Amino acid sequence: MMRDWEVVIGLEIHAQLATQSKIFSGSATAYGAPPNTQANLVDLAYPGVLPVLNARAVQMAVKFGLAVDATVARRSVFARKNYFYPDLPKGYQISQYELPVVSRGTLKVMLDDGAVKIVGITRAHLEEDAGKSLHEGLAHASGIDLNRAGTPLLEIVSEPDMRSAKEAVAYMKKIHTLVRYLEICDGNMQEGSFRCDANVSVRLKGEEKFGTRAEIKNLNSFRFVEKAIQYEVARQVELIESGGKVVQETRLYDSDKDETRSMRSKEEANDYRYFPDPDLLPVEIDAEFIEAVRKTLPELPDQKAARFAKDFGLSAYDAGVLSASRELGAYFEAVVAGLSAGHAKLAANWVMGELSSALNRDNVDIEHSRVNPLQLIGLLNRIVDETISGKIAKEVFEAMWSEGKPADAIIEAKGLRQITDAGAIEGVIDAVIAANPKQLADYRSGKDKLFGFFVGQVMKATAGKANPAQLNDLLKKKLGGGGHA
Amino acid sequence: MHNLFIGELAERLKNRQISSVELTRHLLSRIERLNPALNAFITLTAERALADAAAADARLKAGERGPLLGIPLIHKDIFCTDGVKTSCGSRMLDNFVAPYDATVVARLKAAGTVMLGKSNMDEFAMGSSNETSYYGPVKNPWDTGKVPGGSSGGSAAATAARLTPFATGTDTGGSIRQPAALTGVTGLKPTYGRVSRYGMIAFASSLDQAGVFARSAADAAAALQVMAGFDPRDSTSVDAPVPDYSAALGQPLKGLKIGLLREFFDGLEPRNAALIEDALNIYTGLGAETREVSLPHLPLSVPTYYVVAPAECSSNLSRFDGVRFGYRCENPKDLLDLYKRSRGEGFGAEVKRRIMTGTYVLSAGYFDAYYLKAQKARRLITDDFRSAFEKVDLVIGPTTPTPAFDIGAKMNDPVLMYLNDIYTIGANLAGLPGVSVPCGFVDNLPMGLQLIGPHFAEAKLLNAAHQYQQATDWHRHAPRGYE
Amino acid sequence: MSLTRQDVEKIAHLARLSITDQEMPVYVSSLSSIVNFVDELARTDIEGVLPMAHPLDGQHQRMREDAVSETDHHEKYQRNAPAVTAGLYVVPRVIE
Ligand SMILES: [Mg+2]
Ligand SMILES: [Zn+2]
């Protein structure tokens, strides 16, 4: 049934900007302070107070704009979005409406299959975050904490360019990577520093106009985004196919029940009465300001990926994975630097393979990896100089991870050094052959497959330490005869 | 003592002929005796005043000098005063004690002034007669059956009644100049951005401006000197040098070009017109040249104002929601009930009317027809003034169409009430400075002459007003019983 | 144009103002007369004029350095609050 339906998704991402103070006041933005201890008179909307704009928030917005090749508005305007809610002290949110600071950008997003998709960014505007309503332990009441009120947000609005939940997640991950590269947002989703609203609609394939969309609010994990969209798509398709109509509304994703449900409470009076905030004048950003910000731009993910592919001969996919975060890229480059030329691919395989799976398994982030780049170099050099085989290396890596000892120490302690002495290997081969006359006969009578049996027996006898290449040659010689392999 | 001007008081304080404490006691006793008939105060801060006065006397004794050191004043109850009730004339804030000082209050405090109290005002400064105050109407000392004008009616009445040498006020559509005219005192509304709005409870942010009531232009100049200047807490305060206003008062008016606003004189009540004519003769006598100028779009100013001001107020007053401060209704049954009843019961009729007008003109489908249209008209009116000031230095006209009217006369016709502001609103829309000075009487009630200047022309404006007051004595007349 | 009772009820709800049944007719008529009055604007043709949102037209927003300048005074600030528990402002349960 999904076959003839097309899914249309646009995302509104709210990224908390990593400033020290709030966007319109001198209160701290630190997370987790006791209730209302970081809410000053301006944040509390006390009578008579006025907002004063934080320059850093504007610089960060411009930085983002430059990173997505967007237009940075020379003149942008703060407007008031009027609605009543206890976590919104002024009864309006200072946001940008008609003239946002950033507009018309684009972002390259790599999908799982390695295909690249260009997603349009409609706009990114500055606004203030609201406070929080807490319900625990209050009978029929809510408690309002305004510490978060006034924290600067960059709202990044995409074009409705995504066509599946997976694409939406890939886009969101790319934005997440980008804001962390730019150091304008810590990306911490548990603390709500990076969250997302998804506009979801469906239409029959080939249909020109969009279907009616539902907006799913406050999705704070990649998994939730994916699951919420999947649920919402199924809901809309079912609804339409059973003769119903999708209504434009705001919905909330319930991760426990894994469903979205309507949020009428916020719908009813949805006339925001935007108008320019008379307490703030238009923000002017001149070429000088923009150039100053441009100088602070780091190497961006796409640039890093291109460099990895070119300099290290990595596939576009590997290069993409290794540049997904500044830290991962730095780790990889450190390892490559420690190896003799031509082993970048080896480094890539290990960083994306053993290392990444160990990190995921024990979920530690790469800055706190139990095996640091130098230690990994120590291990990989033993593969390069054939002290150990790749197979043994995996065993050594596990030991390094759990015991925190360097590779050589473990190789010595466990005596995992490879047997490269031909005589020693021949000795073992002779013993194996002598012990398996039947298999020898069968092999010689043409059962080539048995070659593997002998390899296995020798490895077993040497606890896997025999140098595989040497073993191969010697074994061929010894078995001789039918070995028309 | 209460008839002395600020300069004279400062002189006597300096020479130790009087002490600030004596002056303060004298005024407090006048207030005790005369205010009951006027209702000019919402809060009296007698002990605080005597403490301020003692501190000022100590500074004077230590040899410190300052034009306002030891001089008493009254603050309009729209200015936040740390530790003192700040009601804005509303039930909504009847229980509100500001935890900080407005910049205007802090500057005047630092200059050594003595706060006698907080003056009565129209609720949230929305009114032209001081009848919308939760604390009851203020009476005009010239005739207690008449209104003092509004919204800064308490400050105006108290200054006219010689209960204070000067008082702060705010002017969003004429709220300083109109009551100044109706009570026979000098009222100055500075250029928008000249004086900080921080700590001044907002009515209409793009129109509000703090100013002063005094008994002479010279006194107003001394007060403005301290109040004016850039404030990093107010993004709309202008970072421009503050001239020496008092020093500028000596300028002869020879060659000053004064424009007569044709639109102000069309259909002007003859006795009012005659007073303006007399004033013009004084000015020509002082060497000024007069010529007629026109503001063709001025007729649009009142409707423009009554779109812009309510629109901004409807948003500015959303913070009064019964959650963090101010009035909260009895046992709300849910959140919506909390909002609706706290605001419905906490705000008076005129405030609710303006919030609803503003909500309407900003709402979907009406924004372009009203709010956006008003913004366009606002530019046309501003451009009219600009081109007028290419021909003349100042423009002149009446401050109000009529003298003070009877209490209750216009209360149930909002539009009729709004038309009081016809001559004053233009300056607010364009952000221009304006001053009203007493220029005579109609039916034994004072009338005001209004001077409006280009942006930041306060010095020129105050000098023109001062020269007029050197040549006339209208500003020296005191209401009977308050001499 | 004049407003109906329904118009005024809708506006009052948007503005979160309770209006009693006795007050309602007064607001309907006074708001209608105000709207009639400002309709003069809607009637005048001033298209093509650039809207002016602020008297400081042409000036631009000043920015402050990103620095924490505030300290905790929540106890002082909450003395004005109608209901506080454990540092939180208390309101009737917010339903989402
Ligand atoms: Mg949004
Ligand atoms: Zn937003």
Side-chain angles (χ1 to χ4, degrees):
Chain A
M1 109 191 156
M2 287 299 297
R3 207 168 297 99
D4 41 24
W5 289 100
E6 180 176 50
V7 181
V8 176
I9 304 159
L11 298 187
E12 292 175 14
I13 293 172
H14 285 91
Q16 270 184 8
L17 296 175
T19 54
Q20 294 303 304
S21 63
K22 294 185 177 179
I23 183 167
F24 296 119
S25 90
S27 295
T29 54
Y31 180 82
N36 293 306
T37 54
Q38 285 176 176
N40 76 343
L41 294 169
V42 173
D43 313 318
L44 295 170
Y46 249 75
V49 298
L50 297 167
V52 184
L53 181 59
N54 183 334
R56 193 101 180 82
V58 178
Q59 287 159 0
M60 288 175 164
V62 170
K63 205 172 178 185
F64 177 83
L66 295 174
V68 295
D69 307 307
T71 309
V72 174
R74 292 308 174 92
R75 186 171 167 281
S76 63
V77 170
F78 282 104
R80 292 182 179 182
K81 180 182 184 180
N82 295 281
Y83 66 93
F84 286 87
Y85 213 65
D87 64 13
L88 188 72
K90 295 187 295 298
Y92 58 84
Q93 177 194 34
I94 303 177
S95 182
Q96 296 187 305
Y97 186 53
E98 277 176 337
L99 297 169
V101 60
V102 168
S103 55
R104 294 191 309 284
T106 56
L107 192 67
K108 275 213 205 83
V109 178
M110 192 182 308
L111 309 174
D112 296 350
D113 61 6
V116 170
K117 182 181 180 88
I118 307 284
V119 176
I121 290 172
T122 314
R123 60 185 280 156
H125 66 255
L126 283 164
E127 61 185 24
E128 56 183 345
D129 206 343
K132 285 180 184 164
S133 311
L134 309 159
H135 315 294
E136 294 71 27
L138 292 153
H140 322 297
S142 298
I144 310 301
D145 174 8
L146 296 171
N147 282 348
R148 196 180 68 176
T151 302
L153 291 174
L154 187 66
E155 178 174 338
I156 303 158
V157 182
S158 83
E159 290 290 306
D161 288 347
M162 278 73 74
R163 292 292 173 269
S164 71
K166 290 226 174 305
E167 286 187 15
V169 170
Y171 163 79
M172 187 179 174
K173 283 187 168 155
K174 183 63 179 283
I175 293 281
H176 190 251
T177 296
L178 189 59
V179 294
R180 275 156 52 248
Y181 258 71
L182 297 172
E183 290 172 317
I184 61 173
C185 174
D186 67 16
N188 188 323
M189 297 169 103
Q190 289 71 25
E191 295 178 2
S193 310
F194 189 88
R195 41 194 212 265
C196 165
D197 306 338
N199 291 302
V200 179
S201 67
V202 298
R203 63 180 172 187
L204 284 169
K205 281 231 164 63
E207 179 65 52
E208 277 302 306
K209 56 188 276 293
F210 294 127
T212 310
R213 64 183 166 80
E215 182 176 26
I216 314 169
K217 281 259 174 235
N218 277 325
L219 299 161
N220 63 353
S221 89
F222 297 119
R223 222 179 92 258
F224 290 172
V225 169
E226 184 164 5
K227 304 194 84 183
I229 291 172
Q230 280 162 350
Y231 173 91
E232 183 58 21
V233 167
R235 184 189 73 87
Q236 291 186 13
V237 168
E238 248 166 71
L239 189 62
I240 298 168
E241 290 189 337
S242 60
K245 261 190 178 314
V246 176
V247 285
Q248 178 153 358
E249 64 179 349
T250 306
R251 297 179 70 85
L252 210 60
Y253 177 66
D254 180 332
S255 50
D256 308 326
K257 297 203 184 73
D258 182 26
E259 63 175 30
T260 67
R261 77 183 116 74
S262 185
M263 225 175 111
R264 298 230 182 279
S265 56
K266 244 185 181 170
E267 280 313 294
E268 54 174 37
N270 206 337
D271 184 344
Y272 292 126
R273 290 158 286 138
Y274 281 98
F275 74 103
D277 191 329
D279 290 332
L280 293 159
L281 301 173
V283 178
E284 265 177 32
I285 297 171
D286 57 17
E288 190 183 345
F289 186 100
I290 294 175
E291 285 322 302
V293 173
R294 196 188 299 280
K295 286 191 182 62
T296 68
L297 282 178
E299 180 183 43
L300 298 177
D302 292 353
Q303 298 165 334
K304 197 186 285 288
R307 182 166 59 82
F308 283 178
K310 177 167 158 302
D311 298 2
F312 306 134
L314 302 182
S315 73
Y317 183 79
D318 291 1
V321 173
L322 289 168
S323 55
S325 90
R326 257 183 162 178
E327 299 73 19
L328 185 62
Y331 190 106
F332 166 70
E333 288 198 78
V335 174
V336 173
L339 298 175
S340 47
H343 295 98
K345 180 67 185 160
L346 177 69
N349 292 340
W350 273 82
V351 171
M352 292 189 296
E354 298 305 302
L355 180 73
S356 297
S357 46
L359 292 169
N360 294 337
R361 185 190 59 215
D362 303 358
N363 67 76
V364 281
D365 47 82
I366 194 151
E367 301 101 298
H368 307 97
S369 171
R370 300 219 196 98
V371 174
N372 67 34
L374 279 175
Q375 293 169 315
L376 187 59
I377 290 162
L379 176 62
L380 299 189
N381 275 328
R382 292 295 155 273
I383 300 176
V384 173
D385 68 15
E386 299 197 328
T387 307
I388 54 172
S389 68
K391 186 164 173 301
I392 292 291
K394 295 190 161 116
E395 185 182 336
V396 176
F397 180 85
E398 284 312 315
M400 293 167 73
W401 186 266
S402 48
E403 298 161 29
K405 294 208 202 77
D408 290 337
I410 289 160
I411 293 168
E412 288 319 313
K414 299 199 170 190
L416 296 172
R417 181 172 291 283
Q418 228 173 153
I419 303 169
T420 48
D421 160 8
I425 298 174
E426 277 176 312
V428 181
I429 293 174
D430 295 341
V432 168
I433 292 175
N436 300 284
K438 166 105 180 42
Q439 287 81 351
L440 180 66
D442 293 355
Y443 176 82
R444 294 205 164 137
S445 63
K447 279 220 169 107
D448 301 351
K449 283 179 203 60
L450 282 166
F451 188 80
F453 164 78
F454 287 101
V455 172
Q457 291 301 307
V458 176
M459 280 303 186
K460 194 149 166 252
T462 60
K465 290 184 287 181
N467 175 302
Q470 273 177 297
L471 169 57
N472 249 279
D473 305 346
L474 294 169
L475 192 60
K476 280 213 181 69
K477 279 205 222 82
K478 290 276 179 182
L479 294 172
H484 33 66
Chain B
M1 209 177 336
H2 52 270
N3 277 308
L4 296 174
F5 292 100
I6 290 176
E8 299 166 329
L9 289 169
E11 192 59 26
R12 285 165 174 69
L13 286 165
K14 187 175 101 219
N15 306 338
R16 324 287 303 140
Q17 289 163 270
I18 56 166
S19 73
S20 180
V21 168
E22 287 165 346
L23 175 58
T24 302
R25 283 222 172 83
H26 174 71
L27 292 173
L28 287 172
S29 65
R30 272 183 73 80
I31 290 166
E32 200 177 325
R33 184 160 52 83
L34 301 169
N35 181 59
L38 301 175
N39 192 31
F41 286 80
I42 289 172
T43 303
L44 254 181
T45 53
E47 315 74 45
R48 158 82 174 267
L50 290 167
D52 289 354
D57 283 330
R59 287 168 67 178
L60 284 157
K61 196 151 190 248
E64 191 178 336
R65 296 290 173 257
L68 298 184
L69 182 52
I71 306 292
L73 87 169
I74 299 167
H75 283 300
K76 184 179 184 179
D77 208 24
I78 199 171
F79 291 99
C80 285
T81 42
D82 195 356
V84 176
K85 170 177 166 177
T86 301
S87 73
C88 220
S90 180
R91 179 188 192 188
M92 180 62 82
L93 292 178
D94 184 48
N95 61 1
F96 179 73
V97 175
Y100 74 108
D101 276 332
T103 298
V104 162
V105 172
R107 284 171 175 260
L108 286 164
K109 189 189 272 179
T113 59
V114 172
M115 182 172 84
L116 299 169
K118 307 286 299 287
S119 65
N120 199 348
M121 55 181 284
D122 278 301
E123 185 179 11
F124 284 99
M126 297 174 198
S128 308
S129 67
N130 219 297
E131 293 166 287
T132 71
S133 171
Y134 174 63
Y135 302 90
V138 174
K139 316 289 173 41
N140 191 321
W142 293 91
D143 175 346
T144 52
K146 308 281 184 190
V147 303
S151 67
S152 316
S155 287
T159 306
R162 279 55 179 166
L163 305 183
T164 181
F166 78 111
T168 56
T170 60
D171 190 315
T172 303
S175 288
I176 288 174
R177 291 158 292 158
Q178 183 253 16
L182 302 195
T183 58
V185 299
T186 301
L188 172 70
K189 173 223 176 277
T191 305
Y192 183 93
R194 175 79 293 181
V195 177
S196 171
R197 292 189 297 118
Y198 186 79
M200 190 174 109
I201 299 175
F203 159 15
S205 310
S206 78
L207 300 161
D208 296 342
Q209 179 59 201
V212 60
F213 292 89
R215 291 202 314 279
S216 72
D219 285 4
L224 179 63
Q225 199 68 54
V226 172
M227 294 167 71
F230 172 67
D231 179 4
R233 285 198 159 96
D234 176 0
S235 300
T236 64
S237 87
V238 175
D239 194 353
V242 178
D244 185 333
Y245 297 113
S246 303
L249 294 179
Q251 309 299 320
L253 299 187
K254 182 120 198 60
L256 182 80
K257 294 197 215 62
I258 296 177
L260 317 183
L261 291 176
R262 183 186 302 131
E263 290 73 15
F264 278 26
F265 290 90
D266 296 345
L268 184 61
E269 200 269 337
R271 291 173 302 172
N272 193 350
L275 294 179
I276 307 299
E277 288 306 326
D278 297 346
L280 290 173
N281 293 331
I282 300 278
Y283 274 111
T284 43
L286 290 167
E289 304 157 15
T290 63
R291 68 176 63 170
E292 196 174 272
V293 292
S294 171
L295 307 177
H297 298 93
L298 197 78
L300 286 178
S301 64
V302 182
T304 297
Y305 177 88
Y306 280 95
V307 168
V308 172
E312 293 182 7
C313 104
S314 70
S315 177
N316 282 336
L317 271 61
S318 293
R319 70 190 56 201
F320 302 102
D321 58 6
V323 176
R324 296 165 316 286
F325 43 73
Y327 178 83
R328 173 182 284 204
C329 66
E330 289 300 325
N331 39 47
K333 70 177 201 300
D334 58 23
L335 186 62
L336 188 61
D337 187 44
L338 168 76
Y339 282 147
K340 289 192 167 182
R341 279 201 294 125
S342 297
R343 291 166 57 78
E345 297 164 13
F347 291 136
E350 181 60 20
V351 170
K352 281 184 271 192
R353 187 152 45 217
R354 298 211 194 181
I355 289 174
M356 286 194 277
T357 306
T359 302
Y360 176 73
V361 298
L362 287 175
S363 62
Y366 301 99
F367 182 87
D368 291 16
Y370 295 108
Y371 182 76
L372 208 59
K373 205 73 174 282
Q375 287 200 338
K376 293 175 179 177
R378 187 173 189 175
R379 181 175 301 282
L380 293 174
I381 293 157
T382 306
D383 290 347
D384 283 357
F385 275 107
R386 189 171 290 114
S387 43
F389 288 127
E390 283 161 8
K391 304 183 197 72
V392 297
D393 299 305
L394 306 171
V395 296
I396 198 166
T399 308
T400 63
T402 66
F405 46 89
D406 292 345
I407 291 171
K410 302 179 178 182
M411 266 314 265
N412 32 37
D413 186 343
V415 173
L416 191 65
M417 184 71 86
Y418 296 172
L419 288 168
N420 282 297
D421 307 334
I422 184 146
Y423 300 137
T424 46
I425 275 174
N428 298 86
L429 290 170
L432 301 169
V435 62
S436 176
V437 295
C439 66
F441 294 83
V442 167
D443 298 333
N444 305 313
L445 292 167
M447 292 296 291
L449 172 74
Q450 181 179 209
L451 296 159
I452 299 171
H455 292 110
F456 299 102
E458 285 84 0
K460 193 178 280 179
L461 213 53
L462 287 164
N463 178 52
H466 177 70
Q467 297 302 323
Y468 175 78
Q469 291 180 334
Q470 295 302 296
T472 60
D473 74 345
W474 299 116
H475 63 294
R476 295 179 179 275
H477 290 243
R480 180 170 297 106
Y482 300 90
E483 301 88 347
Chain C
M1 70 174 275
S2 71
L3 303 180
T4 65
R5 185 191 175 100
Q6 287 66 29
D7 295 328
V8 176
E9 281 167 348
K10 180 173 163 294
I11 297 164
H13 174 72
L14 257 183
R16 298 296 187 269
L17 292 169
S18 61
I19 303 293
T20 65
D21 290 349
Q22 306 89 288
E23 295 173 311
M24 188 50 83
V26 183
Y27 283 109
V28 172
S29 69
S30 60
L31 284 170
S32 294
S33 63
I34 292 167
V35 170
N36 267 314
F37 176 65
V38 298
D39 260 333
E40 182 180 341
L41 276 175
R43 284 192 298 270
T44 43
D45 171 33
I46 47 176
E47 285 326 304
V49 179
L50 190 65
M52 178 175 141
H54 205 276
L56 299 182
D57 187 50
Q59 302 192 36
H60 62 84
Q61 179 61 30
R62 196 174 53 249
M63 300 187 205
R64 51 168 251 275
E65 283 309 301
D66 177 28
V68 176
S69 57
E70 296 290 332
T71 50
D72 172 28
H73 298 295
H74 74 284
E75 276 160 6
K76 182 180 187 189
Y77 299 159
Q78 291 186 337
R79 275 182 219 129
N80 281 309
V84 170
T85 303
L88 298 164
Y89 294 94
V90 179
V91 298
R93 177 59 66 98
V94 177
I95 349 107
E96 282 196 336

